[in-house]
Amino acid sequence: MNHLLVFETSQDGDSLTVHADAEGLRTVVKAFQRLLDHAERGNPEHDHLMTEDWGGGDLSSERQGTDKTVRVVHHVKLYGWPTSAGLRAYAPQPESSER
């Protein structure tokens, strides 16, 4: 891999930090653009960004800071939905008891 793209979380997972060079940013933009194109056509879609350790090549796996409690994310799943209902729009709806 010849680019930098690292997703890091705090130890408790409450915050996400992204480190990227120009090519890493292009990788994210391309993924989001593809998801946007599908969503605008009314199609749900997803993408995966992974480190080489996890069978990918999109994400870097080297921690960028000196804080040893920061955790590198090895697999990022991106979802694009046609509406703000997101996944709920595709979940089975409970049957109404009204008849």
Side-chain angles (χ1 to χ4, degrees):
M1 171 181 349
N2 294 335
H3 65 269
L4 173 67
L5 179 57
V6 179
F7 286 71
E8 298 175 339
T9 65
S10 58
Q11 186 175 22
D12 58 12
D14 285 345
S15 68
L16 172 71
T17 303
V18 179
H19 300 271
D21 64 3
E23 189 58 35
L25 291 169
R26 268 189 213 90
T27 299
V28 174
V29 168
K30 285 179 191 176
F32 277 121
Q33 185 63 56
R34 189 175 88 66
L35 295 175
L36 174 61
D37 293 344
H38 281 273
E40 287 181 333
R41 290 192 302 266
N43 301 318
E45 187 57 87
H46 73 283
D47 206 344
H48 300 265
L49 303 175
M50 293 183 273
T51 61
E52 289 180 1
D53 301 345
W54 281 51
D58 303 306
L59 299 179
S60 309
S61 58
E62 291 186 31
R63 182 184 297 113
Q64 293 300 297
T66 57
D67 183 351
K68 302 292 186 209
T69 66
V70 169
R71 299 172 59 166
V72 172
V73 176
H74 292 276
H75 185 188
V76 174
K77 296 178 187 177
L78 304 172
Y79 289 90
W81 302 107
T83 71
S84 62
L87 180 61
R88 294 173 308 207
Y90 301 91
Q93 300 299 312
E95 290 187 32
S96 173
S97 60
E98 296 177 23
R99 292 188 187 217

